[in-house]
Amino acid sequence: QTQLEESGGGSVQAGGSLRLSCAASGYIASNYCMGWFRQAPGQEREGIAMRDIYGDIIYVDSVKGRFTFSKDNGENILYLEMNSLKPEDTAMYYCAAGNDGSCYTFLPTAFGDWGQGTQVTVSS
């Protein structure tokens, strides 16, 4: 049985840092694209960082250089280290799993499995 569960969200001031975790139970990394998404109030869900089946990481431009997607192989936990946070990073953050081709689309519709989300709020 597969399950995704995010944690680590919270409230920080601009310039601060947070590390999100996603416990990916039952997933074999070499078989799935794993992605981080976020959705701000009134906006569409957007993909921000993807890890393909080869372990390559792809970032959307708005987070490149500030966010780092990593994976603890031993525990099958995904991390999103977020630095230099901005108020516009405020959103609900989700991890998701999909087929390898999903990684290169960054589209939420290409991912079939989702966690429940964790809220990140950045104040100015």
Side-chain angles (χ1 to χ4, degrees), residues 3-85:
Q3 184 178 6
L4 299 169
E5 185 171 1
E6 304 93 338
S7 60
S11 297
V12 296
Q13 291 191 326
S17 299
L18 281 174
R19 188 177 76 161
L20 306 183
S21 300
C22 173
S25 304
Y27 290 93
I28 300 173
S30 60
N31 292 346
Y32 291 91
C33 166
M34 307 301 293
W36 283 100
F37 290 77
R38 66 185 180 187
Q39 187 167 18
Q43 297 188 20
E44 294 185 354
R45 191 169 298 189
E46 65 166 339
I48 58 173
M50 305 291 156
R51 184 184 187 277
D52 68 16
I53 63 172
Y54 307 106
D56 294 329
I57 310 295
I58 315 164
Y59 299 95
V60 69
D61 285 348
S62 60
V63 306
K64 199 176 295 183
R66 300 188 299 123
F67 291 11
T68 302
F69 187 170
S70 62
K71 182 180 179 298
D72 180 330
N73 290 325
E75 297 295 329
N76 211 27
I77 298 175
L78 311 175
Y79 298 102
L80 187 68
E81 183 77 33
M82 306 186 296
N83 298 313
S84 302
L85 282 162

Side-chain angles (χ1 to χ4, degrees), residues 6 20 33-39 45-50 80 91-98 102-103 105-111 113-114 117-118:
E6 304 93 338
L20 306 183
C33 166
M34 307 301 293
W36 283 100
F37 290 77
R38 66 185 180 187
Q39 187 167 18
R45 191 169 298 189
E46 65 166 339
I48 58 173
M50 305 291 156
L80 187 68
M92 185 73 79
Y93 283 70
Y94 301 88
C95 63
S102 306
C103 267
T105 71
F106 277 70
L107 293 175
T109 52
F111 288 75
D113 298 340
W114 293 86
T118 186

